[in-house]
Amino acid sequence: MPEQSQLNYSRRGKGRPVVLVHGFPFDHTIWEAQLEGLSDGASILAPDLPGFGGSRPGLAEPDIEAYADAIAGWSKELRLGTIILAGHSMGGYVALALARRHPKLLAGLVLVSTRAGADSETGREGRRKMADEVMKRGPQATVDAMLPKLLGAVTRERDPGIVDRVRETMLRQSKEGIVAALQAMAARPDSTPTLAAIQAPSLVVAGTDDAVIPITEAEFMVSHIKDARYTQIPNAGHLPMMESPEEFNRALASFLRTLR
Ligand code: MLT
């Protein structure tokens, strides 16, 4: 990790910077297949959000906007210029906040398995309960609550080892990072008004078998973003970049070609 940066990250390849932001409660390693498969002709950068992976400590204030500012500040420190930003799930909430706060930074936007809306009151209550559980039992509480829903049935059948890989990634995260992210997600504003204001070329990607964020949320975003492209990944659940890396990389590479 270069000394000037507060965020841990992996970087592969040379060319236009493509920044991949992970969801909750993961780290940059969910993008391994993209670091490997897309770095021919692009510079692929995958940071850990504050409080996750190797980016410790976390945020002073749990706030989605603060994650967005951290990504924007880090990309400026690295002198990346304009970036193509892809955000997965919570990383998508961060990407939408960044689109609102730093629109000039974006040369392209990719929203993966995410949604524009804020949490419902029931959703917020669920976050509070999960934060209490995590304080008592650590990251195992997120595994118990989320792992059964994260992967598509076809993925589990085809690649049984993926369940352990995802579990290990979740168990590596710190209690403090997880709790801050739960608070940040619960407090995040509705990004629906942001969608119509997005100027950067955009791509929305979703797994057809996502049991965490229904594919109708992707369709909603596509219908509100001007000229958005849309790719459904058949049989993938909430982690299409890991579950169907080849299809995912094809979709992203084809989008990147339209930006040249
Ligand atoms: C994620 O994958 O980032 C989370 O499932 C998002 C959320 O809990 O809203």
Side-chain angles (χ1 to χ4, degrees), residues 18 20 34 37-38 84 86 109-112 202-207 229-234 240-241 244-259:
V18 180
L20 309 173
Q34 288 65 49
L38 289 170
I84 297 145
L109 178 65
V110 185
L111 296 166
V112 183
S202 302
L203 168 69
V204 175
V205 183
R229 293 163 65 106
Y230 180 34
T231 301
Q232 293 185 7
I233 310 283
M241 76 296 282
S244 303
E246 283 165 17
E247 283 101 319
F248 186 93
N249 286 0
R250 258 199 305 279
L252 198 43
S254 141
F255 176 64
L256 295 178
R257 276 195 298 276
T258 68
L259 305 179

Side-chain angles (χ1 to χ4, degrees), residues 112-161:
V112 183
S113 313
T114 191
R115 56 156 56 95
D119 279 3
S120 63
E121 202 33 65
T122 315
R124 289 194 189 107
E125 185 51 33
R127 306 264 195 218
R128 281 192 283 272
K129 286 201 178 120
M130 189 181 294
D132 289 347
E133 280 295 299
V134 170
M135 287 316 289
K136 283 190 215 132
R137 301 200 286 125
Q140 182 64 44
T142 64
V143 171
D144 294 343
M146 294 178 69
L147 190 56
K149 291 188 288 189
L150 282 171
L151 300 160
V154 173
T155 304
R156 287 166 182 271
E157 180 87 9
R158 197 170 50 197
D159 177 12

Side-chain angles (χ1 to χ4, degrees), residues 7 17-22 45 47 49-50 63-77 80-111 114-116 188-191 194-195 197-202:
L7 297 186
V18 180
V19 174
L20 309 173
V21 179
H22 63 84
L45 297 101
L49 286 170
D63 187 343
I64 286 291
E65 266 74 19
Y67 289 128
D69 291 351
I71 295 290
W74 162 84
S75 78
K76 283 176 192 157
E77 279 167 16
L80 297 180
T82 58
I83 59 173
I84 297 145
L85 179 66
H88 168 248
S89 200
M90 178 178 76
Y93 310 156
V94 173
L96 287 168
L98 192 144
R100 199 160 47 238
R101 292 165 75 81
H102 308 278
K104 294 210 168 80
L105 208 53
L106 290 184
L109 178 65
V110 185
L111 296 166
T114 191
R115 56 156 56 95
R188 78 187 190 281
D190 181 6
S191 287
T194 305
L195 300 177
I198 292 170
Q199 296 294 324
S202 302

